[in-house]
Amino acid sequence: MANKEVGITEVVLRDGNQSLLSTRLKLEDIIPIASKLDEVGYSSIESWGGAIFDSCVRYLNEDPWERLRELKKAMPKTQQQMLLRGQNLVGYKHYSDEVVSKFIEQSAMNGIDIFRVFDALNDLRNIEQSVKAIHDNEKHAQGTLAYTISPIHTLDTWIDLAKQIEDLGCDSLCIKDMSGILSPEYAFDLISELKKIIQIPIHLHTHATTGMSNLTNMRAIEAGVDNIDTSISSMSMGYGHSPTETMIYLMNEKQINSNIDLKDLIPIAEYFDCIREKYKEFEGSMKGVDLKMLINQVPGGMLSNLETQLKALNKEKLLNEVVSEIYEVRKDLGFVPLVTPASQIIGAQALSNIINNKYETLSLEIVDLVLGYYGRLPGEINKDLLDKALLNKESITQRPANLINEKFDSYKNDLKRYCKKLKIKDLSSNDDHILTFILIPYGSEKIFKSLNS
Ligand code: CO
């Protein structure tokens, strides 16, 4: 049954930016609109995490921590939300429990209120430590189902997982549909069932890629969802999300309160209209709706990255072939959901399978994925692929982070040496900078140099 009130999380600064503008939006283009965003009455604003950290350091020459502090300062009334990849933090591999705790402590201290935590494999052992650390810092831990469609993923799979997320102590649940493949009727059934079984609030995150998201969000609301994610109209749809204004209009018609006045959104939409024009070189080529996603389940961000990669290799023609191969590789990996970092690993392998012979070369990452170093795969692994991977090393069944013992302090010395090598002043007394160094060891030279000037 529909709630009388449904919260709206505005995602334009993180996922809207990531899905439509390849995460290139600069802080200086956010600050002028921040106070208006802060006045709207969103339940939260997703402003950090995901690919933002990486993009700040590699492309924008911004200190990601400084960005977070500035965002918090500019939007003090609204809860700031981040996307965290569990034990992978905002990186692409597992970090030790100590590094995970430190990262979360600093994120909380610098301004994050709500942590949406997911694991690409839906292996909850990979989010345990994050949830614990979030609670140690008295912040909101939102556990996540990374939604996918496959012959082995049933309604019961999701309900079991949601129950486990609640049992883990998460404060809310997110259904994360990164590819826009959650259909309206499935969303209705899933949320209706979940509402009978779990007590914590349910949030829906869906993408517009296949054109279903407005209806999916509405059916989710009818089933009793507590919060939906939207993006301001001028930065919506395509690989992105349902427009904030459209969803509020539809909710108003059903007397469902969002605590938001549509009129307050007009100047924000106009502002981002200009921003989108300014950043158009970073947009993917897909316009409108792409139904292929319902067959291949390739998320928006992954497709636009793939396009860019193929363009660089002068092989744009291979796009459809690579997309089909992504499905095959995914099947061979027990139908793992296509989300970071699995999506990157699978994307790269699919590309390699098309350019070279199938599984002729295996990346270190895919070997680790096959052998359990990222966590438990949902289904059965292709035997040939497994045998090939086993030529490299042995497989594991325990929680992967049990094998990782890196001490946070040991990086202090590494960073000290690195600063010496760069001939810049020592940055190793600052925990934020140590974390940047841990997460992006080879890409951090430019940012560290600019921090010194
Ligand atoms: Co998303």
Side-chain angles (χ1 to χ4, degrees), residues 151-411:
I152 63 162
H153 289 90
T154 65
L155 211 52
D156 285 339
T157 313
W158 303 122
I159 289 164
D160 285 350
L161 200 54
K163 188 81 195 93
Q164 289 172 44
I165 286 171
E166 186 175 60
D167 291 345
L168 199 60
C170 290
D171 304 291
S172 58
L173 171 79
C174 173
I175 302 166
K176 176 178 162 68
D177 170 29
M178 49 279 173
S179 329
I181 54 176
L182 178 63
S183 73
E185 293 319 301
Y186 200 93
F188 183 84
D189 292 347
L190 176 58
I191 291 161
S192 301
E193 285 306 307
L194 288 175
K195 274 286 163 190
K196 291 181 206 156
I197 289 160
I198 63 169
Q199 314 300 319
I200 52 175
I202 302 174
H203 291 224
L204 176 62
H205 175 84
T206 184
H207 281 249
T209 321
T210 64
M212 298 194 290
S213 63
N214 295 350
L215 201 49
T216 301
N217 277 316
M218 280 318 284
R219 287 293 275 157
I221 289 171
E222 284 165 21
V225 86
D226 299 276
N227 194 99
I228 59 170
D229 285 12
T230 64
S231 191
I232 195 79
S233 56
S234 47
M235 282 279 288
S236 71
M237 302 305 283
Y239 294 132
H241 313 80
S242 281
T244 309
E245 299 95 307
T246 308
M247 293 317 302
I248 289 169
Y249 190 92
L250 294 172
M251 285 164 65
N252 286 347
E253 245 186 6
K254 292 200 174 257
Q255 276 92 48
I256 293 161
N257 185 15
S258 60
N259 284 317
I260 295 174
D261 187 340
L262 268 179
K263 283 200 289 295
D264 291 343
L265 299 176
I266 295 169
I268 299 172
E270 284 171 353
Y271 180 82
F272 278 103
D273 199 27
C274 301
I275 289 295
R276 196 158 175 181
E277 177 62 25
K278 182 171 169 185
Y279 285 87
K280 66 179 173 204
E281 66 180 295
F282 300 110
E283 292 219 30
S285 67
M286 197 268 271
K287 300 280 184 286
V289 163
D290 192 340
L291 254 293
K292 282 202 299 290
M293 302 313 105
L294 280 174
I295 303 156
N296 301 310
Q297 298 152 42
V298 182
M302 188 176 173
L303 264 188
S304 45
N305 273 340
L306 196 59
E307 271 184 53
T308 317
Q309 277 175 340
L310 285 170
K311 221 181 263 174
L313 295 168
N314 231 335
K315 291 190 190 295
E316 295 101 306
K317 294 188 307 290
L318 294 178
L319 184 65
N320 285 337
E321 238 178 293
V322 178
V323 166
S324 308
E325 184 60 19
I326 287 171
Y327 181 85
E328 294 302 320
V329 176
R330 178 172 176 250
K331 189 169 122 198
D332 292 344
L333 287 164
F335 291 105
V336 53
L338 281 177
V339 62
T340 306
S343 54
Q344 278 80 359
I345 298 171
I346 291 173
Q349 189 63 48
L351 187 60
S352 155
N353 284 1
I354 294 295
I355 292 174
N356 311 305
N357 290 319
K358 189 148 184 160
Y359 298 133
E360 184 183 298
T361 48
L362 297 183
S363 63
L364 293 174
E365 289 81 10
I366 200 154
V367 168
D368 281 351
L369 187 58
V370 168
L371 299 181
Y373 291 88
Y374 285 86
R376 224 180 271 125
L377 291 168
E380 242 168 77
I381 305 162
N382 174 293
K383 177 128 190 355
D384 291 342
L385 178 57
L386 181 60
D387 288 345
K388 241 180 200 168
L390 280 168
L391 296 175
N392 295 272
K393 57 193 208 190
E394 54 186 45
S395 61
I396 62 160
T397 54
Q398 62 176 312
R399 188 184 76 113
N402 288 351
L403 300 171
I404 306 170
N405 297 308
E406 36 178 11
K407 294 274 170 253
F408 181 74
D409 276 343
S410 70
Y411 288 99

Side-chain angles (χ1 to χ4, degrees), residues 401-423:
N402 288 351
L403 300 171
I404 306 170
N405 297 308
E406 36 178 11
K407 294 274 170 253
F408 181 74
D409 276 343
S410 70
Y411 288 99
K412 215 174 222 173
N413 293 326
D414 292 349
L415 179 55
K416 200 188 269 285
R417 270 197 300 276
Y418 189 59
C419 290
K420 213 172 198 172
K421 196 183 122 202
L422 295 181
K423 298 195 174 71

Side-chain angles (χ1 to χ4, degrees), residues 115-126:
F115 293 77
R116 174 176 290 168
V117 194
F118 78 97
D119 174 62
L121 310 185
N122 285 316
D123 184 343
L124 298 183
R125 299 174 306 170
N126 292 337

